[in-house]
Amino acid sequence: MNHQYSAVVLGVGPERGLGATLAKHFANKGLHVFIAGRSEDKLNIVADSIGNRGGVATAVVADATKEYDVSHLFEVIKLHGSPLLIAAYNVDSNIPAPILDTETEIFTQLWLQNCLGAFVFAKEAIANMKPNQQGTLFFTGATASLRAKPPFIAFASAKAALRALAQGLAREFSPQGIHVVHTIIDGVINGDRAEQQFSEYYKSKGEEGLLKLEAIAETYWSIHCQHPSAWTHELDLRPFKEPF
Amino acid sequence: MNHQYSAVVLGVGPERGLGATLAKHFANKGLHVFIAGRSEDKLNIVADSIGNRGGVATAVVADATKEYDVSHLFEVIKLHGSPLLIAAYNVDSNIPAPILDTETEIFTQLWLQNCLGAFVFAKEAIANMKPNQQGTLFFTGATASLRAKPPFIAFASAKAALRALAQGLAREFSPQGIHVVHTIIDGVINGDRAEQQFSEYYKSKGEEGLLKLEAIAETYWSIHCQHPSAWTHELDLRPFKEPF
Amino acid sequence: MNHQYSAVVLGVGPERGLGATLAKHFANKGLHVFIAGRSEDKLNIVADSIGNRGGVATAVVADATKEYDVSHLFEVIKLHGSPLLIAAYNVDSNIPAPILDTETEIFTQLWLQNCLGAFVFAKEAIANMKPNQQGTLFFTGATASLRAKPPFIAFASAKAALRALAQGLAREFSPQGIHVVHTIIDGVINGDRAEQQFSEYYKSKGEEGLLKLEAIAETYWSIHCQHPSAWTHELDLRPFKEPF
Amino acid sequence: MNHQYSAVVLGVGPERGLGATLAKHFANKGLHVFIAGRSEDKLNIVADSIGNRGGVATAVVADATKEYDVSHLFEVIKLHGSPLLIAAYNVDSNIPAPILDTETEIFTQLWLQNCLGAFVFAKEAIANMKPNQQGTLFFTGATASLRAKPPFIAFASAKAALRALAQGLAREFSPQGIHVVHTIIDGVINGDRAEQQFSEYYKSKGEEGLLKLEAIAETYWSIHCQHPSAWTHELDLRPFKEPF
């Protein structure tokens, strides 16, 4: 493999997380993977893991809410020179609270992370992909984008904003050959983040009640591989045991 | 009338606009109306118009995106002492553009105006209403909250965020006696703003193709008057000639 | 009052029911009301009640699923000669069951009652209203039209079919002056039907957890009175205590 | 290959059609395919084509709207003895007309074909799959299930009924290991049916504006292959050039 094509995942954290899993999956398929997130340590672990399995990964420290960081990420990608086939915005931030206890700062932060970062990322990714008239742009969304329930109102509002952004981008750029996909993750992911942030809830789900990381990544890849004559813009992903 | 009850409308601009019309309507019904917006001149025209017709209006200059301004508005209301029956967030900001030409600043501004301001406003209004276990909280929304189409992606994203916020608030506060309403304005309002900002489109609609200000206000009032056993959270409003 | 205008309600059963309440409400507003349902006894009780309060009602026995009956109902209306201002399709039939225990006959019956009857009724009502370019056509819908949950799948499928029908009719006939409205009743109605069919559930809701009949009728009337420049096609109605 | 597993597709018509393409795709993957439709001639062509390429197909003449036919189809499958892995309800019937010109018979027929047949099919398929706690049940849906537009109101109503049915079945049977999928075909399929029924529209789309049969089948297969920890219930499929 000479890695003529590349992918980028923004929102790579713990190795047992969706960002890292998507990156590994794309690396396994032969893409040079650019992985970005706030923690250099975590990125290095993921990059090493990919390298050890014969893949090629470049770690770029970036905070999705900082326009400069995102621009820099895409400059690094551009310098490398191989066309971007996949760009996945995988930042997902959720801080549950009753609305009267939600500070403006928190409400804003969730929007910056779940939506504004996606907007900046999307513009850069599309600018990179447009000349080649190909590429898949993924946004990892949530059921909350469809139904706002306390104590997740701030999260839901931010994810609804993301969903609308993704839908608009699909309408604007699909005809130009860019496949824009919004996934609705409905349930708890079997990863470090949920295990730590929603520990009790996580345990209550049991093994069969959690979304497996690799299973999600496989669907992302299938959707990326769709022929342009039958593209999917939106799909839900949920454990078979999950009530909905 | 001794104006024992009050209403507040944030987003009052030109006299021929929805904010002003709602304020006048509520004043006609006997409520002391607090009107807020960025332009003192415009507020004064509306306040005078209400006063001249025997109503009571208090103008408070406020930028919906500035938390301090919104807090101050509610301090003024509190000082007045009469319970708030209606709070209407009527800020509506739309700057159409292809997404690659949309600056981060603009994307953010639309969210600040259409959504964050609503969040801050809602918290203040709910804090005011909760002790009395009554009150109607209106959010003026748009069809774009349901369907994101270029060149209105930034607007749609912000309005989708607003819609989710309103829906979450309804779930959280309806059982506490606060009626939360999201209106979906589908079409062009027969007011100064659309006439100036979307002049050509406005004209193309013709008299019968525009939403009349007073007709919208009447529905807001009817919904406010609903018995709590049969509350409406969401409804669309569109000219009979409008394709949808 | 000389009852120059008329209304029709199909799906009038017990006096303490939505059909009867809508009919009484419209009669109170001065309309000659045609009430139709399967039980002559029940119709007569409602007609008498309207007559005793100074209203004018004509009872027509009709099964909504029989095309002949519905045609006959509209012939009676036509003979009377006064233009139809309101036509409300209020048939609502729900037989919960796990899907494997649902007979084809039951699945079909729910569709005949909740949807096909509405189609036949709508065609007749529109034919009556079109020459005058006015009139409001109501369809009493349910939350199940938006979310299908066991053991209400057959009901949900039929109500989703009804909702789509209503939406299509609104698109086709609003520009011709006919106001088509779909209401989403979300909760349990404080009437005989729910009390008898879902007795336990009904009781569990408590007084404050039920939709009051008259409150629903008031909203139907408000929506009927909307100016054509700002028509509502769809709105939900739910008790303030109802989780959603 | 010894064809230990089987699949069934109801709604197989012309060889250049979605039913036939799904059947061929499943046969290529090693499943014994039961193909059912109204035309014995068409079924035989498809069965021969599958056989010629080394696959195994059994043709069963069946009208989806006749309960007896559908029962018989599943008896044939049961007799064969190999567990059913996939059951696809692919009947799609659309007769556009203004609503006032739509006969009750036509409105009913579209529901029988698009929805009731699916109900009967689903019950049989689930009864077959339940003991093994595995299997994928596909319903080929349409965008009309989400938006009812004239002159497709009857079709939209029927497809909305189908969508609700599929959603309810997913909620009821996913936890029992049966994967229920509703696809939203958004656009015109590059097949004989659309070419003949919507000839002008079909041509206007151009090569790039049509859904390719094999591309759709590939996505059905990918979705069938999903791990149960991350199942998709609903996804759209549309040509990249299709406005939406």
Side-chain angles (χ1 to χ4, degrees):
Chain A
M1 281 187 283
N2 60 356
H3 304 98
Q4 295 174 322
Y5 293 99
S6 63
V8 57
V9 182
L10 177 51
V12 173
E15 197 178 358
R16 199 167 143 261
L18 183 55
T21 306
L22 292 174
K24 286 180 194 177
H25 200 95
F26 301 156
N28 283 346
K29 297 295 184 180
L31 301 179
H32 177 149
V33 182
F34 294 84
I35 57 177
R38 285 176 300 181
S39 159
E40 189 168 7
D41 287 353
K42 289 179 181 164
L43 292 177
N44 286 340
I45 291 168
V46 176
D48 287 351
S49 169
I50 289 172
N52 291 339
R53 291 197 282 177
V56 178
T58 302
V60 182
V61 175
D63 178 333
T65 68
K66 296 205 173 110
E67 198 162 1
Y68 173 83
D69 284 12
V70 179
S71 295
H72 173 249
L73 167 63
F74 280 87
E75 276 162 29
V76 173
I77 295 167
K78 199 172 183 180
L79 277 174
H80 178 269
S82 62
L84 205 51
L85 278 193
I86 300 179
Y89 188 81
N90 187 56
V91 177
D92 186 72
S93 182
N94 187 357
I95 301 171
I99 209 73
L100 296 182
D101 299 341
T102 304
E103 298 299 321
T104 300
E105 197 178 25
I106 296 298
F107 192 84
T108 302
Q109 181 195 317
L110 292 191
W111 177 76
L112 290 171
Q113 293 177 320
N114 289 298
C115 181
L116 186 71
F119 165 77
V120 174
F121 179 84
K123 282 176 64 178
E124 294 280 0
I126 290 165
N128 181 303
M129 291 168 171
K130 260 186 83 168
N132 305 313
Q133 295 182 52
Q134 72 173 347
T136 305
L137 186 49
F138 284 106
F139 299 96
T140 300
T143 304
S145 67
L146 301 174
R147 290 171 71 73
K149 293 204 166 178
F152 304 104
I153 301 181
F155 176 68
S157 176
K159 285 295 191 187
L162 171 67
R163 180 178 184 246
L165 170 65
Q167 192 182 92
L169 292 173
R171 290 198 167 96
E172 191 162 343
F173 296 103
S174 291
Q176 301 179 44
I178 298 172
H179 188 181
V180 183
V181 183
H182 179 250
T183 62
I184 298 175
I185 305 291
D186 187 17
V188 180
I189 291 179
N190 192 350
D192 282 353
R193 213 194 63 161
E195 188 165 10
Q196 285 156 22
Q197 195 183 357
F198 302 105
S199 171
E200 285 305 306
Y201 189 57
Y202 180 93
K203 279 179 209 150
S204 76
K205 287 289 177 183
E207 180 73 14
E208 286 197 324
L210 300 167
L211 288 130
K212 285 199 205 315
L213 293 162
E214 186 55 29
I216 302 174
E218 273 166 21
T219 291
Y220 274 60
W221 184 256
S222 298
I223 297 296
H224 165 65
C225 293
Q226 286 181 322
H227 188 275
S229 83
W231 271 354
T232 291
H233 166 58
E234 190 167 76
L235 76 169
D236 49 349
L237 286 163
R238 121 181 3 97
F240 76 109
K241 291 250 173 178
E242 179 77 12
F244 74 103
Chain B
M1 280 188 283
N2 60 358
H3 304 99
Q4 294 175 322
Y5 293 98
S6 62
V8 57
V9 182
L10 178 52
V12 173
E15 198 178 359
R16 199 168 143 262
L18 184 54
T21 306
L22 292 174
K24 286 181 193 177
H25 200 95
F26 300 156
N28 283 347
K29 297 295 183 178
L31 301 179
H32 178 148
V33 181
F34 294 85
I35 57 177
R38 284 176 300 182
S39 158
E40 188 168 9
D41 288 352
K42 289 178 182 165
L43 293 176
N44 287 339
I45 290 169
V46 176
D48 287 351
S49 169
I50 289 172
N52 291 339
R53 290 196 283 177
V56 177
T58 301
V60 181
V61 176
D63 179 333
T65 67
K66 297 203 172 114
E67 197 162 2
Y68 172 83
D69 284 11
V70 178
S71 295
H72 174 249
L73 167 63
F74 279 88
E75 277 162 27
V76 173
I77 294 167
K78 200 174 184 179
L79 277 174
H80 179 269
S82 61
L84 205 50
L85 278 192
I86 300 179
Y89 189 80
N90 187 56
V91 176
D92 186 73
S93 182
N94 188 354
I95 301 171
I99 210 71
L100 296 182
D101 299 342
T102 304
E103 298 299 321
T104 300
E105 196 178 28
I106 295 298
F107 192 84
T108 302
Q109 180 195 318
L110 292 192
W111 177 75
L112 290 171
Q113 294 177 320
N114 290 298
C115 181
L116 185 71
F119 165 77
V120 175
F121 179 85
K123 282 176 66 178
E124 294 280 0
I126 289 165
N128 182 303
M129 291 168 171
K130 258 186 83 169
N132 305 313
Q133 295 182 50
Q134 71 172 346
T136 305
L137 186 50
F138 283 107
F139 299 96
T140 300
T143 305
S145 66
L146 302 174
R147 290 171 70 74
K149 292 203 169 180
F152 304 105
I153 300 180
F155 176 69
S157 176
K159 285 295 191 188
L162 171 67
R163 181 178 182 245
L165 169 65
Q167 191 182 92
L169 292 173
R171 289 199 169 97
E172 190 161 344
F173 296 103
S174 291
Q176 301 180 43
I178 298 172
H179 188 180
V180 183
V181 184
H182 179 250
T183 61
I184 298 174
I185 306 291
D186 188 16
V188 180
I189 291 179
N190 191 350
D192 282 354
R193 211 194 64 161
E195 188 166 9
Q196 285 156 23
Q197 195 183 355
F198 302 104
S199 172
E200 285 305 305
Y201 189 56
Y202 180 92
K203 279 178 208 151
S204 75
K205 288 288 176 182
E207 181 73 14
E208 287 198 323
L210 299 167
L211 287 131
K212 285 199 205 314
L213 293 162
E214 186 55 29
I216 302 174
E218 273 165 20
T219 290
Y220 275 59
W221 185 256
S222 299
I223 296 296
H224 165 65
C225 293
Q226 285 181 323
H227 187 276
S229 84
W231 272 353
T232 292
H233 166 59
E234 189 167 76
L235 75 170
D236 50 349
L237 287 163
R238 101 174 32 84
F240 75 110
K241 291 251 174 178
E242 180 77 13
F244 73 104
Chain C
M1 281 189 283
N2 60 358
H3 303 98
Q4 295 174 323
Y5 294 98
S6 62
V8 58
V9 182
L10 178 52
V12 173
E15 198 178 358
R16 198 168 144 262
L18 184 53
T21 306
L22 292 174
K24 287 180 192 177
H25 200 95
F26 301 156
N28 283 346
K29 297 295 183 179
L31 300 179
H32 179 150
V33 182
F34 294 85
I35 57 177
R38 285 176 300 181
S39 158
E40 188 167 9
D41 287 352
K42 288 178 182 165
L43 293 176
N44 286 340
I45 291 168
V46 176
D48 287 351
S49 170
I50 289 172
N52 291 341
R53 292 196 282 176
V56 178
T58 302
V60 182
V61 176
D63 178 333
T65 66
K66 297 204 171 113
E67 198 163 1
Y68 173 82
D69 284 11
V70 179
S71 295
H72 173 249
L73 167 63
F74 279 87
E75 275 162 28
V76 173
I77 294 168
K78 199 174 184 179
L79 277 174
H80 178 269
S82 61
L84 204 52
L85 279 192
I86 299 179
Y89 188 80
N90 187 57
V91 177
D92 185 73
S93 182
N94 188 355
I95 301 170
I99 210 71
L100 296 183
D101 300 341
T102 304
E103 298 298 321
T104 299
E105 197 177 27
I106 295 298
F107 192 84
T108 302
Q109 180 194 320
L110 292 192
W111 177 76
L112 290 171
Q113 293 177 318
N114 290 298
C115 181
L116 185 71
F119 165 77
V120 174
F121 179 83
K123 283 176 64 177
E124 293 280 359
I126 290 165
N128 182 304
M129 291 169 172
K130 258 186 83 168
N132 306 313
Q133 295 182 50
Q134 71 173 347
T136 305
L137 186 50
F138 284 106
F139 298 97
T140 300
T143 305
S145 66
L146 301 174
R147 289 171 71 73
K149 293 202 168 181
F152 303 105
I153 300 181
F155 176 68
S157 176
K159 284 294 191 188
L162 171 67
R163 181 177 182 245
L165 170 65
Q167 191 182 93
L169 292 173
R171 289 200 168 96
E172 190 161 344
F173 296 102
S174 291
Q176 301 180 44
I178 298 172
H179 188 180
V180 183
V181 184
H182 179 250
T183 62
I184 298 174
I185 306 292
D186 187 18
V188 180
I189 291 179
N190 192 349
D192 283 353
R193 212 195 62 162
E195 188 166 10
Q196 285 157 21
Q197 195 182 355
F198 303 104
S199 174
E200 285 305 305
Y201 189 56
Y202 180 93
K203 280 179 209 152
S204 75
K205 287 288 177 184
E207 180 74 15
E208 287 197 323
L210 300 167
L211 288 131
K212 285 199 204 316
L213 292 161
E214 186 56 30
I216 303 174
E218 274 165 20
T219 290
Y220 274 59
W221 185 256
S222 298
I223 297 296
H224 166 65
C225 293
Q226 286 181 322
H227 188 275
S229 84
W231 272 353
T232 292
H233 165 58
E234 188 167 75
L235 75 170
D236 48 350
L237 287 163
R238 117 178 11 92
F240 75 109
K241 292 250 174 179
E242 179 77 12
F244 73 104
Chain D
M1 281 188 283
N2 61 355
H3 304 98
Q4 295 174 321
Y5 293 98
S6 62
V8 58
V9 181
L10 177 52
V12 173
E15 197 177 359
R16 198 168 143 260
L18 183 55
T21 306
L22 292 173
K24 286 181 194 177
H25 200 94
F26 301 155
N28 283 345
K29 298 295 183 178
L31 302 179
H32 179 149
V33 182
F34 294 84
I35 57 177
R38 286 176 299 182
S39 159
E40 189 167 8
D41 287 352
K42 289 179 182 165
L43 292 176
N44 287 339
I45 291 168
V46 176
D48 287 350
S49 169
I50 288 172
N52 291 339
R53 290 197 283 177
V56 178
T58 302
V60 182
V61 176
D63 179 333
T65 68
K66 299 206 172 110
E67 198 162 0
Y68 172 83
D69 284 10
V70 178
S71 295
H72 174 249
L73 167 63
F74 279 87
E75 277 162 28
V76 173
I77 294 167
K78 199 173 183 179
L79 278 175
H80 178 269
S82 60
L84 205 51
L85 278 193
I86 299 179
Y89 189 79
N90 187 57
V91 176
D92 186 74
S93 181
N94 188 356
I95 301 171
I99 210 73
L100 296 182
D101 299 342
T102 303
E103 297 299 321
T104 299
E105 197 178 27
I106 295 298
F107 192 84
T108 302
Q109 180 195 319
L110 292 192
W111 177 75
L112 290 171
Q113 293 177 319
N114 290 298
C115 182
L116 186 70
F119 166 77
V120 174
F121 179 84
K123 282 176 66 178
E124 294 280 0
I126 289 165
N128 182 304
M129 290 170 172
K130 259 186 83 168
N132 305 314
Q133 295 182 53
Q134 71 173 348
T136 305
L137 185 50
F138 284 106
F139 298 96
T140 300
T143 304
S145 66
L146 302 174
R147 289 171 71 73
K149 293 202 167 181
F152 303 104
I153 300 180
F155 176 68
S157 176
K159 285 294 190 187
L162 171 66
R163 180 178 183 246
L165 169 64
Q167 192 182 93
L169 292 173
R171 289 198 168 97
E172 191 162 343
F173 296 103
S174 292
Q176 301 180 44
I178 298 172
H179 188 180
V180 183
V181 184
H182 179 249
T183 61
I184 298 175
I185 305 292
D186 187 17
V188 180
I189 291 179
N190 192 350
D192 282 354
R193 212 194 63 160
E195 188 165 11
Q196 284 156 23
Q197 195 182 356
F198 302 104
S199 172
E200 285 304 306
Y201 189 56
Y202 180 93
K203 279 179 208 150
S204 75
K205 287 288 177 184
E207 180 73 14
E208 286 197 323
L210 300 167
L211 287 131
K212 285 199 204 316
L213 293 162
E214 186 56 29
I216 302 174
E218 274 166 20
T219 290
Y220 275 58
W221 185 255
S222 299
I223 296 296
H224 165 65
C225 293
Q226 286 182 322
H227 187 275
S229 84
W231 272 353
T232 292
H233 165 59
E234 189 167 77
L235 76 169
D236 49 349
L237 288 163
R238 112 177 17 89
F240 75 109
K241 291 251 174 180
E242 180 77 12
F244 73 104

